[in-house]
Amino acid sequence: MIQTIRKAWGIPELRKKIIFTLLILLIFRIGNAITVPYVNTDLLATYLDQMGATILGLYNVMSGGAFANATVFALSIQPYINSSIIIQLLTVAIPSLERLARDGGEEGRKKIQSITRYTTVAIAILQSVGYYFMMRNANLLQTGADGIWPALVIIVTFIAGSSFVMWMGEQVTEFGVGNGISIILFAGILSRVPVMVSQGIAFGSQAAINWLWVAVLLVAMLALVVFIVFINDAERRIPVQYAKRQVGRKMYGGQSTHLPMKVNMSGVLPVIFAQSIASLPITVWTFIGIPTKEESPVAYAIYNAIDTKSIIYMVVYFIMIIGFSYFYSSIQFNPVEIANNLKKQGGFIPGFRPGKPTVDFIRKVLNKITLFGAIYLGIVAICPLIVGKIVGSDHLAIGGTSVIIVVGVALETVKALESQMLMRQYKGFLE
């Protein structure tokens, strides 16, 4: 990876793209340091820390700690991610959107992107209003900041910050390196590493734990990164043979190739979506008020049963990851469409007739590798929860999700740099 970046830096055009991306990330980090007026950030950070590993904890990590500090970019790219997921789901459910995505071409892609932008702003408005009322109800605002003007300033600032982050991500995608939204997400999570390390050291010192276990945990984290890299690049290759056909005096076809199917083709989306839904009840309950054992023994028992550290939550979380993995793989990979394309191009899978037998075989392989990829995502997401339950820390609860995102974006960015360097080599050769 370092070698690829060094080579890309030596190409003037790519150097400009890298510098542009770094400047955007610098602006993003500056925005994460500017707090919104009228908010008591000390009380807010303490309040969110007491809430544990709810969906707000996921927002805080993905924003680089900006959510807990109520900065200008507190919502970060969460509204855009949620908007993209919603539009993707509606594309499957609404025929007009499905036709627009499938047959609309470049114009259709732009229309869907425009719809995603408007949906992002709408979600940012809802989240900003909800965030403000959460802070007001929990007495996290500064003294005398209960009027209409402070509310308007806080809400409008959050909405503008989220919209600006979305715009910066699109600029990186167009003029920078890699996917802009992923790069900003990567930078936000990575900026939390020093804080997480300091919190881990402080926790280890207070708990007086055996530092041998810390070394074992570090080795396990490195092994987890290697495992994620291996699975991220793993794919099932189905052999495809193209029949020979004569067009005029020329003979076409006859070559052998393969149909690649990635083991984890849905990425980290099932984990994000499953965690958002699984932790929603406990998050809403926390907003209402955590019951005590003396006030309501039954409510207290139910709260502990669905808490993010409970066995029930882990089981539901794991099942949801598997379910969403199958859902996203069915969206991204259509066996019927693949089989029809092979048939039109004169290709076939050895041992299977074109048509329904080919569709059944592709669907069978897809189900197998999706199950393996879903179990992999579930293990990576659940292991930090189990370790956090053992050591008594909530900060590990979303560690698996963060590692998957960081490693995946790093590999994706390196591949984008390599592809751009390869394109320029071909361009120079043709010139």
Side-chain angles (χ1 to χ4, degrees):
M1 184 174 67
I2 296 176
Q3 191 70 19
T4 301
I5 296 175
R6 186 181 301 172
K7 290 180 179 178
W9 186 262
I11 302 175
E13 190 174 349
L14 288 183
R15 189 190 306 134
K16 291 180 182 179
K17 289 178 175 288
I18 294 174
I19 293 174
F20 179 82
T21 303
L22 294 176
L23 286 175
I24 292 291
L25 294 181
L26 177 62
I27 297 173
F28 174 69
R29 292 304 303 156
I30 292 174
N32 278 355
I34 302 174
T35 57
V36 175
Y38 308 113
V39 178
N40 192 325
T41 55
D42 294 332
L43 291 178
L44 177 61
T46 304
Y47 177 79
L48 291 178
D49 189 60
Q50 291 175 351
M51 289 185 66
T54 59
I55 187 175
L56 301 183
L58 178 65
Y59 285 176
N60 189 43
V61 170
M62 290 189 173
S63 65
F67 191 83
N69 294 322
T71 66
V72 175
F73 294 157
L75 298 184
S76 189
I77 59 168
Q78 280 303 316
Y80 184 85
I81 292 176
N82 295 335
S83 172
S84 300
I85 293 174
I86 291 172
I87 297 302
Q88 202 170 25
L89 295 176
L90 292 179
T91 301
V92 180
I94 301 177
S96 58
L97 283 178
E98 185 180 5
R99 288 193 299 270
L100 192 64
R102 187 180 65 246
D103 306 325
E106 183 65 19
E107 190 66 26
R109 187 189 66 82
K110 289 182 179 179
K111 287 184 180 179
I112 290 181
Q113 192 174 18
S114 178
I115 295 173
T116 305
R117 291 195 193 103
Y118 287 120
T119 309
T120 299
V121 175
I123 293 175
I125 293 174
L126 293 176
Q127 290 186 352
S128 300
V129 172
Y131 195 17
Y132 166 76
F133 279 105
M134 180 202 78
M135 292 187 292
R136 195 189 71 172
N137 295 336
N139 297 320
L140 302 177
L141 300 177
Q142 295 177 356
T143 305
D146 296 332
I148 297 178
W149 176 251
L152 190 63
V153 170
I154 293 172
I155 293 173
V156 172
T157 303
F158 285 152
I159 295 171
S162 176
S163 303
F164 187 66
V165 171
M166 175 183 65
W167 178 83
M168 288 194 300
E170 292 179 349
Q171 297 306 302
V172 171
T173 303
E174 186 173 356
F175 303 108
V177 178
N179 184 286
I181 301 299
S182 300
I183 293 292
I184 290 178
L185 184 60
F186 172 84
I189 295 175
L190 211 60
S191 65
R192 291 281 297 169
V193 171
V195 177
M196 294 174 66
V197 171
S198 62
Q199 288 177 347
I201 294 174
F203 176 79
S205 302
Q206 293 174 2
I209 61 175
N210 189 345
W211 288 102
L212 178 61
W213 287 106
V214 177
V216 172
L217 184 61
L218 291 176
V219 172
M221 290 179 62
L222 292 175
L224 179 63
V225 171
V226 173
F227 180 60
I228 291 174
V229 173
F230 175 76
I231 297 297
N232 191 78
D233 293 335
E235 60 184 20
R236 169 74 157 86
R237 297 181 176 180
I238 299 178
V240 176
Q241 181 73 36
Y242 287 93
K244 291 183 179 180
R245 64 185 188 277
Q246 187 170 355
V247 180
R249 295 183 178 181
K250 293 185 178 181
M251 185 73 68
Y252 294 92
Q255 73 270 23
S256 299
T257 182
H258 63 268
L259 177 66
M261 299 174 65
K262 291 186 71 66
V263 172
N264 181 30
M265 63 178 63
S266 55
V268 75
L269 284 177
V271 177
I272 296 175
F273 213 51
Q275 187 170 37
S276 300
I277 295 179
S279 61
L280 188 60
I282 195 69
T283 302
V284 174
W285 201 329
T286 307
F287 283 159
I288 298 173
I290 303 175
T292 61
K293 192 173 184 180
E294 291 75 17
E295 294 175 346
S296 177
V298 177
Y300 181 77
I302 296 175
Y303 180 87
N304 288 330
I306 64 173
D307 187 26
T308 53
K309 297 185 287 293
S310 66
I311 300 298
I312 295 177
Y313 171 82
M314 295 182 190
V315 172
V316 172
Y317 185 26
F318 189 85
I319 294 174
M320 282 189 173
I321 289 175
I322 294 179
F324 283 120
S325 296
Y326 273 98
F327 175 77
Y328 279 108
S329 65
S330 65
I331 291 177
Q332 297 177 356
F333 202 96
N334 190 343
V336 176
E337 186 176 346
I338 296 297
N340 289 336
N341 290 337
L342 287 176
K343 187 176 180 180
K344 291 177 183 177
Q345 298 171 5
F348 64 93
I349 299 175
F352 298 91
R353 294 169 53 192
K356 190 175 184 304
T358 300
V359 173
D360 293 340
F361 174 73
I362 295 176
R363 183 175 288 116
K364 181 179 178 181
V365 174
L366 178 64
N367 290 334
K368 286 182 179 180
I369 65 172
T370 300
L371 178 61
F372 181 83
I375 292 175
Y376 144 76
L377 285 176
I379 291 174
V380 173
I382 292 296
C383 281
L385 284 172
I386 297 174
V387 175
K389 186 178 179 65
I390 294 173
V391 303
S393 173
D394 290 332
H395 299 293
L396 294 173
I398 49 182
T401 308
S402 303
V403 173
I404 294 175
I405 293 174
V406 169
V407 175
V409 173
L411 293 175
E412 176 187 333
T413 305
V414 170
K415 288 181 179 178
L417 282 173
E418 289 177 346
S419 63
Q420 291 193 27
M421 286 191 295
L422 190 63
M423 286 173 57
R424 278 155 182 78
Q425 287 179 2
Y426 277 118
K427 184 179 178 181
F429 175 76
L430 292 173
E431 289 178 351

